[in-house]
Structure formats: C-alpha cells, structure tokens
Coordinates of all heavy atoms in Angstrom, one line a residue:
M1 N -50.9 -30.3 -93.6 CA -51.3 -29.7 -94.8 C -51.5 -30.8 -95.8 O -50.7 -31.6 -96.0 CB -50.4 -28.6 -95.2 CG -50.7 -27.9 -96.5 SD -50.4 -28.6 -98.0 CE -48.6 -28.9 -97.9
I2 N -52.6 -30.8 -96.5 CA -52.8 -31.6 -97.6 C -53.1 -30.7 -98.9 O -53.6 -29.6 -98.8 CB -53.8 -32.7 -97.5 CG1 -55.2 -32.2 -97.3 CG2 -53.5 -33.6 -96.3 CD1 -56.3 -33.2 -97.2
A3 N -53.0 -31.3 -100.1 CA -53.2 -30.5 -101.2 C -53.8 -31.5 -102.3 O -53.6 -32.7 -102.3 CB -52.0 -29.8 -101.7
T4 N -54.5 -30.9 -103.3 CA -54.8 -31.6 -104.5 C -53.9 -31.0 -105.6 O -53.8 -29.7 -105.8 CB -56.3 -31.4 -104.9 OG1 -57.1 -31.9 -103.9 CG2 -56.5 -32.0 -106.3
V5 N -53.2 -31.9 -106.4 CA -52.4 -31.4 -107.5 C -53.2 -31.8 -108.7 O -53.6 -33.0 -108.9 CB -51.1 -32.1 -107.4 CG1 -50.3 -31.9 -108.8 CG2 -50.2 -31.5 -106.2
Y6 N -53.3 -30.8 -109.6 CA -53.9 -30.9 -111.0 C -52.9 -30.9 -112.0 O -52.0 -30.2 -112.0 CB -54.9 -29.7 -111.2 CG -55.4 -29.7 -112.5 CD1 -56.5 -30.4 -113.0 CD2 -54.8 -28.9 -113.5 CE1 -57.0 -30.4 -114.3 CE2 -55.4 -28.6 -114.8 CZ -56.4 -29.5 -115.2 OH -56.8 -29.4 -116.5
A7 N -53.0 -32.0 -112.8 CA -52.1 -32.1 -114.0 C -52.8 -32.6 -115.2 O -53.7 -33.3 -115.1 CB -50.8 -33.0 -113.6
V8 N -52.3 -32.3 -116.4 CA -52.8 -32.8 -117.6 C -51.7 -33.6 -118.4 O -50.5 -33.2 -118.2 CB -53.4 -31.7 -118.5 CG1 -54.6 -31.1 -117.9 CG2 -52.4 -30.7 -118.9
F9 N -52.1 -34.6 -119.1 CA -51.2 -35.5 -119.7 C -51.6 -35.7 -121.2 O -52.7 -35.5 -121.5 CB -51.2 -36.9 -119.0 CG -50.8 -36.8 -117.6 CD1 -51.8 -36.6 -116.6 CD2 -49.6 -36.7 -117.3 CE1 -51.4 -36.4 -115.2 CE2 -49.2 -36.6 -115.9 CZ -50.1 -36.3 -114.9
A10 N -50.6 -36.1 -122.0 CA -50.9 -36.4 -123.4 C -51.9 -37.3 -123.8 O -52.6 -37.3 -124.7 CB -49.6 -36.8 -124.1
D11 N -52.0 -38.4 -122.9 CA -53.0 -39.4 -123.1 C -53.2 -40.3 -121.8 O -52.5 -40.0 -120.8 CB -52.6 -40.4 -124.3 CG -51.2 -41.0 -124.1 OD1 -50.9 -41.4 -122.9 OD2 -50.5 -41.1 -125.1
A12 N -54.2 -41.1 -121.9 CA -54.6 -42.0 -120.6 C -53.4 -42.9 -120.2 O -53.2 -43.0 -119.1 CB -55.8 -42.7 -120.9
A13 N -52.7 -43.3 -121.2 CA -51.6 -44.3 -120.8 C -50.5 -43.4 -120.0 O -50.0 -44.0 -119.0 CB -50.9 -44.9 -122.0
E14 N -50.2 -42.3 -120.4 CA -49.2 -41.5 -119.6 C -49.8 -41.1 -118.2 O -49.0 -41.2 -117.3 CB -48.8 -40.2 -120.4 CG -47.8 -39.4 -119.6 CD -47.4 -38.2 -120.4 OE1 -48.3 -37.3 -120.8 OE2 -46.2 -37.9 -120.5
A15 N -51.1 -40.7 -118.3 CA -51.6 -40.4 -116.9 C -51.6 -41.6 -116.0 O -51.2 -41.5 -114.8 CB -53.0 -39.9 -117.1
E16 N -52.0 -42.8 -116.5 CA -51.9 -44.0 -115.6 C -50.6 -44.4 -115.2 O -50.3 -44.8 -113.9 CB -52.6 -45.1 -116.3 CG -54.1 -44.9 -116.5 CD -54.8 -46.0 -117.3 OE1 -54.3 -47.1 -117.3 OE2 -55.8 -45.8 -117.9
R17 N -49.5 -44.2 -116.1 CA -48.2 -44.6 -115.8 C -47.7 -43.7 -114.7 O -47.0 -44.2 -113.7 CB -47.3 -44.5 -117.0 CG -45.8 -44.7 -116.8 CD -45.0 -44.5 -118.0 NE -45.0 -43.3 -118.7 CZ -44.4 -42.2 -118.3 NH1 -43.7 -42.3 -117.3 NH2 -44.6 -41.1 -119.0
I18 N -47.9 -42.4 -114.8 CA -47.4 -41.4 -113.8 C -48.1 -41.7 -112.5 O -47.5 -41.5 -111.5 CB -47.4 -40.0 -114.4 CG1 -46.3 -39.9 -115.5 CG2 -47.2 -39.0 -113.3 CD1 -46.3 -38.6 -116.2
A19 N -49.4 -41.9 -112.6 CA -50.2 -41.9 -111.3 C -49.8 -43.2 -110.6 O -49.6 -43.2 -109.3 CB -51.7 -42.1 -111.8
E20 N -49.5 -44.3 -111.3 CA -49.1 -45.5 -110.6 C -47.6 -45.2 -110.0 O -47.4 -45.8 -108.8 CB -49.0 -46.7 -111.5 CG -48.7 -48.0 -110.7 CD -49.0 -49.2 -111.4 OE1 -49.8 -49.2 -112.5 OE2 -48.5 -50.3 -111.1
T21 N -46.8 -44.6 -110.7 CA -45.5 -44.3 -110.2 C -45.5 -43.5 -108.9 O -44.9 -43.8 -107.9 CB -44.6 -43.6 -111.2 OG1 -44.5 -44.5 -112.3 CG2 -43.2 -43.2 -110.7
V22 N -46.2 -42.4 -108.9 CA -46.2 -41.4 -107.7 C -47.0 -42.0 -106.6 O -46.6 -41.8 -105.4 CB -46.7 -40.0 -108.1 CG1 -45.8 -39.4 -109.1 CG2 -48.2 -40.0 -108.6
V23 N -47.9 -43.0 -106.8 CA -48.7 -43.5 -105.7 C -47.7 -44.6 -105.1 O -47.6 -44.7 -103.9 CB -50.0 -44.1 -106.1 CG1 -50.6 -45.0 -105.0 CG2 -51.0 -43.0 -106.5
T24 N -47.1 -45.4 -106.0 CA -46.1 -46.4 -105.5 C -45.0 -45.8 -104.7 O -44.6 -46.3 -103.7 CB -45.5 -47.2 -106.6 OG1 -46.5 -47.9 -107.3 CG2 -44.5 -48.2 -106.3
E25 N -44.5 -44.6 -105.2 CA -43.4 -43.9 -104.4 C -43.9 -43.1 -103.3 O -43.2 -42.5 -102.5 CB -42.7 -42.9 -105.4 CG -42.0 -43.6 -106.5 CD -41.4 -42.7 -107.5 OE1 -41.6 -41.5 -107.5 OE2 -40.6 -43.2 -108.4
R26 N -45.2 -43.2 -103.0 CA -45.8 -42.5 -101.8 C -45.7 -40.9 -101.8 O -45.7 -40.3 -100.9 CB -45.3 -43.0 -100.5 CG -45.6 -44.5 -100.3 CD -45.1 -45.0 -99.0 NE -45.8 -44.6 -97.8 CZ -47.0 -45.1 -97.4 NH1 -47.4 -46.2 -97.8 NH2 -47.5 -44.5 -96.3
L27 N -45.7 -40.5 -103.0 CA -45.7 -39.0 -103.3 C -47.2 -38.6 -103.4 O -47.6 -37.4 -103.2 CB -45.0 -38.5 -104.5 CG -43.4 -38.7 -104.4 CD1 -42.8 -38.5 -105.7 CD2 -43.0 -37.8 -103.3
A28 N -48.1 -39.4 -103.7 CA -49.6 -39.2 -103.7 C -50.3 -40.4 -103.1 O -49.8 -41.5 -103.2 CB -50.0 -39.1 -105.2
A29 N -51.4 -40.1 -102.3 CA -52.1 -41.1 -101.8 C -53.1 -41.7 -102.7 O -53.5 -42.9 -102.6 CB -52.8 -40.5 -100.6
C30 N -53.4 -40.9 -103.7 CA -54.4 -41.3 -104.7 C -54.4 -40.5 -105.9 O -53.9 -39.2 -105.8 CB -55.8 -41.2 -104.0 SG -57.3 -41.4 -105.0
A31 N -54.8 -40.9 -107.0 CA -54.9 -40.2 -108.2 C -56.3 -40.5 -108.9 O -56.6 -41.7 -109.0 CB -53.8 -40.5 -109.2
N32 N -56.9 -39.5 -109.3 CA -58.1 -39.7 -110.1 C -57.9 -39.2 -111.5 O -57.6 -38.0 -111.8 CB -59.3 -38.8 -109.6 CG -59.7 -39.1 -108.1 OD1 -59.5 -38.3 -107.2 ND2 -60.1 -40.3 -107.8
I33 N -58.0 -40.1 -112.4 CA -57.7 -39.9 -113.9 C -59.1 -39.6 -114.5 O -60.0 -40.5 -114.4 CB -57.0 -41.0 -114.5 CG1 -55.7 -41.2 -113.8 CG2 -56.9 -40.8 -116.1 CD1 -54.9 -42.5 -114.2
L34 N -59.3 -38.4 -115.0 CA -60.5 -38.0 -115.5 C -60.6 -38.3 -117.0 O -59.7 -38.7 -117.6 CB -60.7 -36.5 -115.2 CG -60.5 -36.0 -113.8 CD1 -60.6 -34.5 -113.6 CD2 -61.5 -36.7 -112.8
A35 N -61.9 -37.9 -117.6 CA -62.1 -38.1 -119.0 C -61.3 -37.3 -119.7 O -61.0 -36.2 -119.3 CB -63.6 -37.9 -119.2
P36 N -60.9 -37.6 -121.0 CA -60.3 -36.7 -121.9 C -61.0 -35.3 -122.1 O -62.3 -35.3 -121.9 CB -60.2 -37.4 -123.2 CG -60.2 -38.8 -122.9 CD -61.2 -38.8 -121.6
C37 N -60.2 -34.2 -122.3 CA -60.7 -32.9 -122.4 C -60.0 -32.3 -123.6 O -59.0 -32.7 -124.1 CB -60.6 -32.0 -121.2 SG -58.8 -31.7 -120.7
R38 N -60.7 -31.3 -124.2 CA -60.1 -30.5 -125.3 C -59.4 -29.2 -124.7 O -60.1 -28.6 -123.8 CB -61.1 -29.9 -126.2 CG -61.8 -31.1 -127.0 CD -61.0 -31.7 -128.0 NE -60.6 -30.8 -129.0 CZ -59.6 -30.9 -129.9 NH1 -58.8 -32.0 -129.8 NH2 -59.3 -30.0 -130.8
S39 N -58.2 -29.0 -124.9 CA -57.5 -27.9 -124.4 C -57.0 -27.0 -125.6 O -56.7 -27.5 -126.7 CB -56.1 -28.4 -123.7 OG -56.4 -29.2 -122.6
V40 N -57.2 -25.7 -125.3 CA -56.8 -24.7 -126.2 C -55.8 -23.8 -125.6 O -56.1 -23.3 -124.5 CB -58.0 -23.8 -126.7 CG1 -57.6 -22.8 -127.7 CG2 -59.2 -24.8 -127.3
F41 N -54.6 -23.6 -126.2 CA -53.6 -22.9 -125.4 C -52.6 -22.3 -126.5 O -52.6 -22.8 -127.6 CB -52.8 -23.7 -124.5 CG -52.2 -24.9 -125.1 CD1 -51.0 -25.0 -125.6 CD2 -53.0 -26.2 -125.2 CE1 -50.4 -26.2 -126.1 CE2 -52.5 -27.3 -125.8 CZ -51.2 -27.3 -126.2
R42 N -51.9 -21.3 -126.1 CA -50.9 -20.8 -126.9 C -49.5 -21.5 -126.7 O -49.1 -21.5 -125.5 CB -50.7 -19.2 -126.7 CG -49.7 -18.5 -127.6 CD -49.6 -17.0 -127.5 NE -51.0 -16.5 -127.7 CZ -51.5 -16.2 -129.1 NH1 -50.7 -16.7 -130.1 NH2 -52.6 -15.7 -129.2
W43 N -48.8 -21.9 -127.7 CA -47.6 -22.7 -127.5 C -46.6 -22.1 -128.6 O -47.0 -22.3 -129.8 CB -47.7 -24.1 -127.5 CG -46.4 -24.8 -127.3 CD1 -45.7 -25.6 -128.2 CD2 -45.6 -24.8 -126.1 NE1 -44.6 -26.0 -127.7 CE2 -44.4 -25.5 -126.4 CE3 -45.7 -24.2 -124.8 CZ2 -43.5 -25.8 -125.5 CZ3 -44.7 -24.4 -123.9 CH2 -43.6 -25.3 -124.2
E44 N -45.5 -21.6 -128.4 CA -44.5 -21.2 -129.3 C -45.1 -20.2 -130.4 O -44.8 -20.4 -131.6 CB -43.8 -22.3 -129.8 CG -42.9 -23.0 -128.9 CD -42.2 -24.2 -129.3 OE1 -42.4 -24.7 -130.5 OE2 -41.3 -24.8 -128.6
G45 N -46.0 -19.3 -129.9 CA -46.6 -18.4 -130.8 C -47.7 -18.8 -131.7 O -48.4 -18.0 -132.5
A46 N -48.2 -20.0 -131.5 CA -49.4 -20.5 -132.2 C -50.5 -21.0 -131.2 O -50.1 -21.4 -130.2 CB -49.1 -21.7 -133.1
V47 N -51.7 -20.9 -131.6 CA -52.8 -21.4 -130.8 C -53.0 -22.9 -131.1 O -53.2 -23.2 -132.3 CB -54.1 -20.6 -131.1 CG1 -55.3 -21.3 -130.3 CG2 -54.0 -19.2 -130.7
E48 N -52.9 -23.7 -130.2 CA -53.0 -25.1 -130.3 C -54.3 -25.6 -129.8 O -54.8 -25.1 -128.7 CB -51.8 -25.9 -129.6 CG -50.4 -25.4 -130.0 CD -50.0 -25.9 -131.3 OE1 -50.6 -26.9 -131.8 OE2 -49.1 -25.4 -131.9
R49 N -54.8 -26.7 -130.3 CA -56.0 -27.4 -129.8 C -55.6 -28.9 -129.8 O -55.4 -29.5 -130.8 CB -57.2 -27.1 -130.8 CG -57.6 -25.8 -130.8 CD -58.6 -25.5 -131.9 NE -59.0 -24.0 -132.0 CZ -58.2 -23.1 -132.5 NH1 -57.1 -23.4 -133.0 NH2 -58.6 -21.8 -132.5
V50 N -55.7 -29.4 -128.6 CA -55.4 -30.9 -128.4 C -56.3 -31.6 -127.5 O -57.0 -30.9 -126.7 CB -53.9 -31.2 -128.0 CG1 -52.9 -30.4 -128.9 CG2 -53.7 -30.5 -126.6
E51 N -56.4 -32.8 -127.5 CA -57.1 -33.6 -126.5 C -56.0 -34.0 -125.4 O -54.9 -34.5 -125.8 CB -57.7 -34.8 -127.1 CG -58.6 -35.7 -126.1 CD -59.4 -36.7 -126.6 OE1 -60.4 -36.4 -127.3 OE2 -58.9 -37.9 -126.6
E52 N -56.4 -33.9 -124.2 CA -55.5 -34.1 -123.1 C -56.2 -35.0 -122.0 O -57.5 -34.9 -122.0 CB -54.8 -33.0 -122.4 CG -53.9 -32.2 -123.3 CD -53.3 -31.0 -122.7 OE1 -54.1 -30.0 -122.3 OE2 -52.1 -31.0 -122.7
V53 N -55.6 -35.5 -121.1 CA -56.2 -36.3 -120.0 C -55.8 -35.6 -118.7 O -54.6 -35.8 -118.3 CB -55.7 -37.7 -120.0 CG1 -56.3 -38.6 -118.9 CG2 -56.3 -38.5 -121.4
P54 N -56.8 -35.0 -118.0 CA -56.5 -34.4 -116.7 C -56.5 -35.5 -115.5 O -57.2 -36.5 -115.6 CB -57.6 -33.3 -116.5 CG -58.7 -33.8 -117.3 CD -58.1 -34.7 -118.4
A55 N -55.8 -35.2 -114.5 CA -55.8 -35.9 -113.3 C -55.6 -35.1 -112.1 O -55.1 -34.1 -112.1 CB -54.6 -37.0 -113.4
L56 N -56.3 -35.7 -111.0 CA -56.2 -35.1 -109.8 C -55.4 -36.0 -108.7 O -55.8 -37.1 -108.6 CB -57.6 -34.7 -109.1 CG -58.4 -33.9 -109.9 CD1 -59.9 -33.8 -109.5 CD2 -57.9 -32.4 -110.0
F57 N -54.5 -35.4 -108.0 CA -53.6 -36.2 -107.1 C -53.9 -35.7 -105.7 O -53.8 -34.4 -105.5 CB -52.1 -36.1 -107.4 CG -51.8 -36.6 -108.8 CD1 -51.9 -35.8 -110.0 CD2 -51.4 -37.9 -108.9 CE1 -51.6 -36.2 -111.2 CE2 -51.0 -38.4 -110.3 CZ -51.1 -37.5 -111.4
K58 N -54.0 -36.6 -104.7 CA -54.1 -36.1 -103.4 C -52.9 -36.4 -102.7 O -52.3 -37.5 -102.7 CB -55.2 -36.9 -102.7 CG -56.6 -36.5 -102.9 CD -56.9 -36.8 -104.3 CE -58.6 -36.8 -104.6 NZ -58.9 -37.6 -105.7
T59 N -52.3 -35.3 -102.0 CA -50.9 -35.5 -101.4 C -50.7 -34.6 -100.2 O -51.4 -33.5 -100.0 CB -50.0 -35.1 -102.5 OG1 -48.6 -35.3 -102.0 CG2 -50.0 -33.6 -102.9
A60 N -49.7 -34.9 -99.4 CA -49.3 -34.1 -98.4 C -47.9 -33.5 -98.7 O -47.3 -32.8 -97.9 CB -49.1 -34.9 -97.1
Q61 N -47.5 -33.8 -99.9 CA -46.1 -33.3 -100.4 C -46.3 -32.7 -101.9 O -45.8 -33.2 -102.9 CB -45.1 -34.5 -100.5 CG -45.0 -35.3 -99.4 CD -44.0 -36.5 -99.6 OE1 -42.9 -36.2 -99.8 NE2 -44.5 -37.6 -99.5
P62 N -47.1 -31.6 -101.9 CA -47.3 -31.0 -103.2 C -46.0 -30.6 -104.1 O -45.9 -30.8 -105.3 CB -48.2 -29.8 -103.0 CG -48.0 -29.5 -101.5 CD -47.7 -30.7 -100.9
E63 N -45.1 -30.1 -103.4 CA -43.8 -29.5 -104.1 C -43.1 -30.8 -104.6 O -42.7 -30.7 -105.9 CB -42.9 -28.7 -103.2 CG -43.6 -27.4 -102.7 CD -44.4 -27.5 -101.5 OE1 -44.6 -28.7 -100.9 OE2 -45.0 -26.5 -101.1
A64 N -43.0 -31.8 -103.9 CA -42.2 -33.0 -104.3 C -43.0 -33.7 -105.5 O -42.4 -34.2 -106.4 CB -41.9 -33.9 -103.1
L65 N -44.3 -33.8 -105.2 CA -45.1 -34.4 -106.3 C -45.0 -33.7 -107.6 O -44.8 -34.3 -108.7 CB -46.6 -34.5 -105.8 CG -47.5 -35.1 -106.7 CD1 -47.2 -36.5 -107.2 CD2 -48.9 -35.2 -106.2
I66 N -45.1 -32.4 -107.6 CA -45.1 -31.6 -108.9 C -43.7 -31.9 -109.5 O -43.6 -32.0 -110.7 CB -45.4 -30.2 -108.6 CG1 -46.9 -29.9 -108.3 CG2 -44.9 -29.3 -109.7 CD1 -47.2 -28.6 -107.7
A67 N -42.6 -31.8 -108.6 CA -41.3 -32.0 -109.3 C -41.2 -33.3 -109.9 O -40.6 -33.5 -111.0 CB -40.3 -31.8 -108.2
R68 N -41.7 -34.4 -109.2 CA -41.6 -35.7 -109.9 C -42.4 -36.0 -111.1 O -42.0 -36.5 -112.0 CB -42.1 -36.7 -108.8 CG -41.9 -38.2 -109.2 CD -40.4 -38.6 -109.3 NE -40.4 -40.0 -109.6 CZ -39.6 -40.6 -110.5 NH1 -38.9 -39.8 -111.4 NH2 -39.6 -41.9 -110.7
I69 N -43.7 -35.3 -111.1 CA -44.5 -35.4 -112.3 C -43.7 -34.8 -113.4 O -43.7 -35.2 -114.5 CB -45.8 -34.6 -112.0 CG1 -46.7 -35.5 -111.1 CG2 -46.5 -34.3 -113.4 CD1 -48.0 -34.7 -110.7
A70 N -43.0 -33.6 -113.2 CA -42.3 -32.9 -114.2 C -41.2 -33.8 -114.8 O -41.0 -33.7 -116.1 CB -41.7 -31.6 -113.7
T71 N -40.5 -34.6 -114.0 CA -39.5 -35.5 -114.5 C -40.0 -36.7 -115.2 O -39.3 -37.2 -116.1 CB -38.6 -36.1 -113.3 OG1 -39.3 -36.9 -112.5 CG2 -38.0 -35.0 -112.4
L72 N -41.2 -37.1 -114.9 CA -41.8 -38.2 -115.6 C -42.6 -37.9 -116.9 O -43.0 -38.7 -117.8 CB -42.7 -39.0 -114.7 CG -42.1 -39.6 -113.5 CD1 -43.1 -40.1 -112.5 CD2 -41.2 -40.8 -113.9
H73 N -43.0 -36.6 -117.1 CA -43.9 -36.1 -118.0 C -43.3 -36.0 -119.5 O -42.1 -35.7 -119.6 CB -44.4 -34.7 -117.6 CG -45.8 -34.4 -118.1 ND1 -46.1 -34.1 -119.4 CD2 -46.9 -34.3 -117.4 CE1 -47.4 -33.9 -119.6 NE2 -48.0 -34.1 -118.3
S74 N -44.1 -36.1 -120.5 CA -43.6 -36.1 -121.8 C -43.5 -34.7 -122.4 O -42.8 -34.4 -123.3 CB -44.4 -36.9 -122.8 OG -45.8 -36.3 -122.8
Y75 N -44.2 -33.7 -121.7 CA -44.2 -32.3 -122.2 C -43.0 -31.5 -121.7 O -42.4 -31.8 -120.6 CB -45.4 -31.6 -121.6 CG -46.7 -32.0 -122.1 CD1 -47.9 -31.4 -121.6 CD2 -46.9 -33.0 -123.2 CE1 -49.2 -31.7 -122.0 CE2 -48.1 -33.2 -123.6 CZ -49.3 -32.7 -123.0 OH -50.5 -33.0 -123.5
D76 N -42.5 -30.6 -122.4 CA -41.3 -29.8 -122.0 C -41.8 -28.9 -120.8 O -41.0 -28.7 -120.0 CB -40.9 -28.8 -123.1 CG -40.3 -29.6 -124.3 OD1 -39.8 -30.7 -124.1 OD2 -40.2 -29.1 -125.5
V77 N -43.0 -28.4 -120.8 CA -43.6 -27.6 -119.8 C -44.9 -28.2 -119.3 O -45.9 -27.7 -119.7 CB -43.7 -26.1 -120.2 CG1 -44.2 -25.3 -119.1 CG2 -42.4 -25.6 -120.8
P78 N -44.9 -29.2 -118.4 CA -46.1 -29.8 -118.0 C -46.9 -28.9 -117.0 O -46.4 -28.1 -116.2 CB -45.6 -31.1 -117.3 CG -44.2 -30.8 -116.8 CD -43.7 -29.8 -117.8
A79 N -48.2 -28.9 -117.2 CA -49.0 -28.2 -116.3 C -49.2 -29.0 -115.0 O -49.7 -30.1 -115.2 CB -50.4 -28.0 -117.0
A80 N -48.8 -28.5 -113.9 CA -49.1 -29.2 -112.7 C -49.0 -28.2 -111.6 O -48.1 -27.4 -111.5 CB -47.9 -30.2 -112.4
V81 N -50.2 -28.1 -110.9 CA -50.5 -27.0 -110.0 C -51.1 -27.6 -108.7 O -51.7 -28.6 -108.8 CB -51.4 -25.8 -110.5 CG1 -50.7 -25.2 -111.6 CG2 -52.6 -26.3 -110.9
A82 N -50.8 -26.9 -107.6 CA -51.4 -27.4 -106.3 C -52.5 -26.5 -105.8 O -52.3 -25.3 -105.9 CB -50.3 -27.7 -105.3
W83 N -53.5 -27.1 -105.3 CA -54.5 -26.3 -104.5 C -54.5 -26.8 -103.1 O -54.8 -28.0 -102.9 CB -56.0 -26.6 -105.1 CG -56.1 -26.1 -106.5 CD1 -55.8 -24.9 -107.0 CD2 -56.7 -26.9 -107.6 NE1 -56.1 -24.8 -108.4 CE2 -56.7 -26.0 -108.7 CE3 -57.2 -28.1 -107.8 CZ2 -57.2 -26.3 -109.9 CZ3 -57.7 -28.6 -108.9 CH2 -57.7 -27.7 -110.0
R84 N -54.1 -26.0 -102.1 CA -54.0 -26.4 -100.8 C -55.5 -26.5 -100.3 O -56.3 -25.7 -100.6 CB -53.2 -25.5 -100.0 CG -51.7 -25.4 -100.5 CD -50.8 -24.6 -99.5 NE -49.6 -24.5 -100.1 CZ -48.6 -25.4 -100.3 NH1 -48.8 -26.5 -99.9 NH2 -47.5 -25.1 -100.8
I85 N -55.6 -27.6 -99.5 CA -56.9 -27.9 -98.9 C -57.1 -27.3 -97.6 O -56.2 -27.5 -96.7 CB -57.2 -29.5 -98.9 CG1 -56.9 -30.1 -100.2 CG2 -58.5 -29.8 -98.2 CD1 -57.8 -29.6 -101.4
E86 N -58.0 -26.3 -97.5 CA -58.3 -25.7 -96.2 C -59.1 -26.4 -95.2 O -58.8 -26.4 -94.0 CB -59.0 -24.3 -96.6 CG -58.3 -23.4 -97.4 CD -57.2 -22.6 -96.6 OE1 -57.3 -22.3 -95.4 OE2 -56.2 -22.2 -97.3
E87 N -60.0 -27.2 -95.7 CA -60.9 -28.0 -95.0 C -61.0 -29.4 -95.5 O -61.1 -29.5 -96.8 CB -62.2 -27.3 -94.8 CG -62.3 -26.0 -94.2 CD -62.0 -26.0 -92.7 OE1 -62.3 -27.0 -92.0 OE2 -61.4 -25.0 -92.2
A88 N -61.1 -30.4 -94.7 CA -61.3 -31.7 -95.2 C -61.8 -32.6 -94.0 O -61.6 -32.2 -92.9 CB -60.0 -32.3 -95.7
H89 N -62.6 -33.7 -94.4 CA -63.0 -34.5 -93.4 C -61.7 -35.1 -92.7 O -60.8 -35.5 -93.3 CB -63.8 -35.7 -94.0 CG -64.4 -36.7 -93.2 ND1 -65.1 -36.5 -92.2 CD2 -64.1 -38.1 -93.2 CE1 -65.5 -37.6 -91.5 NE2 -64.9 -38.5 -92.2
P90 N -61.7 -35.0 -91.4 CA -60.4 -35.3 -90.6 C -59.8 -36.7 -90.9 O -58.6 -36.8 -91.1 CB -60.7 -35.1 -89.2 CG -61.8 -34.0 -89.2 CD -62.6 -34.3 -90.4
P91 N -60.7 -37.7 -91.0 CA -60.1 -39.0 -91.3 C -59.5 -39.0 -92.7 O -58.5 -39.8 -92.9 CB -61.2 -40.1 -91.2 CG -62.2 -39.3 -90.3 CD -62.0 -37.8 -90.5
Y92 N -60.1 -38.4 -93.6 CA -59.6 -38.4 -95.0 C -58.3 -37.7 -95.1 O -57.3 -38.2 -95.7 CB -60.7 -37.6 -95.9 CG -60.0 -37.5 -97.3 CD1 -59.9 -38.5 -98.2 CD2 -59.6 -36.1 -97.6 CE1 -59.4 -38.2 -99.4 CE2 -59.0 -35.9 -98.9 CZ -59.0 -37.1 -99.8 OH -58.5 -36.7 -101.1
A93 N -58.1 -36.4 -94.4 CA -56.9 -35.7 -94.3 C -55.8 -36.6 -93.7 O -54.7 -36.7 -94.1 CB -57.1 -34.4 -93.5
A94 N -56.1 -37.3 -92.6 CA -55.2 -38.2 -92.0 C -54.7 -39.4 -92.9 O -53.5 -39.6 -93.0 CB -55.7 -38.8 -90.7
W95 N -55.6 -39.9 -93.7 CA -55.3 -40.9 -94.7 C -54.3 -40.4 -95.7 O -53.4 -41.1 -96.1 CB -56.6 -41.4 -95.3 CG -56.3 -42.5 -96.4 CD1 -56.1 -43.8 -96.3 CD2 -56.4 -42.2 -97.8 NE1 -55.8 -44.3 -97.4 CE2 -56.0 -43.4 -98.4 CE3 -56.5 -41.0 -98.5 CZ2 -56.0 -43.5 -99.8 CZ3 -56.5 -41.1 -100.0 CH2 -56.2 -42.4 -100.6
V96 N -54.6 -39.2 -96.2 CA -53.7 -38.6 -97.3 C -52.3 -38.4 -96.7 O -51.3 -38.7 -97.3 CB -54.3 -37.3 -97.8 CG1 -53.3 -36.6 -98.7 CG2 -55.6 -37.5 -98.7
R97 N -52.2 -37.8 -95.4 CA -51.0 -37.7 -94.9 C -50.2 -38.9 -94.6 O -49.0 -39.1 -94.8 CB -51.1 -36.9 -93.6 CG -51.4 -35.4 -93.7 CD -51.3 -34.6 -92.4 NE -52.3 -35.0 -91.5 CZ -53.5 -34.5 -91.4 NH1 -54.0 -33.7 -92.3 NH2 -54.3 -35.0 -90.5
E98 N -50.9 -40.0 -94.2 CA -50.2 -41.3 -93.9 C -49.8 -42.0 -95.2 O -48.9 -42.8 -95.2 CB -51.3 -42.2 -93.2 CG -51.5 -41.7 -91.8 CD -52.7 -42.5 -91.1 OE1 -53.3 -43.5 -91.8 OE2 -53.3 -42.0 -90.1
N99 N -50.4 -41.6 -96.3 CA -50.1 -42.5 -97.5 C -49.3 -41.6 -98.7 O -49.3 -42.1 -99.7 CB -51.4 -43.0 -98.1 CG -52.0 -44.2 -97.3 OD1 -51.4 -45.2 -97.3 ND2 -52.9 -43.8 -96.3
S100 N -48.9 -40.5 -98.3 CA -48.2 -39.7 -99.4 C -47.0 -38.9 -98.6 O -46.9 -39.0 -97.4 CB -49.1 -38.7 -100.0 OG -49.6 -37.7 -99.2

C-alpha cells in the first residue's frame, strides 16, 4: 500500500524543513511543495484567512508520516491527511515502498 499525504504549512521554509526531515528519515519517498494558497477556516470561534503552503508527500507509511509531521509542525492542530492510492504505475509504487 502506498499513499499521498496532504499537509499545509505556515510558510515555505517550514514546508521545506519538514519535507527534508521526513525524506531523510525515510518516512516519505518524495515531497512536492506547492505554491502558496489562501486558506479560509474557522479557528477558536473566528473565521480566519491566511496564506499557507501545501505539500504532497508520497509514502508507504502514512500513519507514521502524519504523526511525525504533527511533531515537527508549528500549528497546534496541523492539517495532515492521507489518500490511499488504489492504482499506480508498478515501478513507481515499488520506488515509493523502497524509499519510505
């Protein structure tokens, strides 16, 4: 089984720091850091509007990766979710499994 983990970060520096850490620790085979986005959400009773940096991580260990992202993240409640991959190019899936 492989998965893509989606997470958002306060800024590009945090996204890059966490991406490098989890790839080095072999919890993710790869991380794609995307362009900043505008997020609108409710937090502590107020509607917030902030710029965040999303990232996609490829992994064979989604639970461990999400837990590690949470320990490294600056947010009290970081957004980190996994989408299990049903179908993938077999050599790609093997690469993700071998590298995470």
Side-chain angles (χ1 to χ4, degrees):
M1 181 277 305
I2 63 171
T4 297
V5 170
Y6 168 82
V8 294
F9 302 94
D11 55 38
E14 180 177 54
E16 289 178 29
R17 176 181 57 80
I18 292 175
E20 185 163 343
T21 298
V22 299
V23 169
T24 299
E25 293 175 352
R26 299 182 68 90
L27 292 172
C30 173
N32 302 120
I33 299 169
L34 307 175
C37 66
R38 295 286 300 158
S39 296
V40 179
F41 56 92
R42 182 172 302 281
W43 182 250
E44 297 182 345
V47 175
E48 303 286 339
R49 291 168 186 80
V50 300
E51 185 172 278
E52 296 180 298
V53 176
L56 301 171
F57 299 84
K58 285 71 166 202
T59 185
Q61 305 179 66
E63 295 86 2
L65 175 58
I66 289 170
R68 185 66 171 133
I69 289 170
T71 67
L72 298 168
H73 209 288
S74 64
Y75 293 175
D76 292 335
V77 183
V81 299
W83 296 311
R84 297 194 189 285
I85 304 302
E86 298 283 328
E87 298 291 329
H89 182 53
Y92 172 77
W95 175 79
V96 170
R97 285 191 296 275
E98 290 166 13
N99 289 282
S100 66

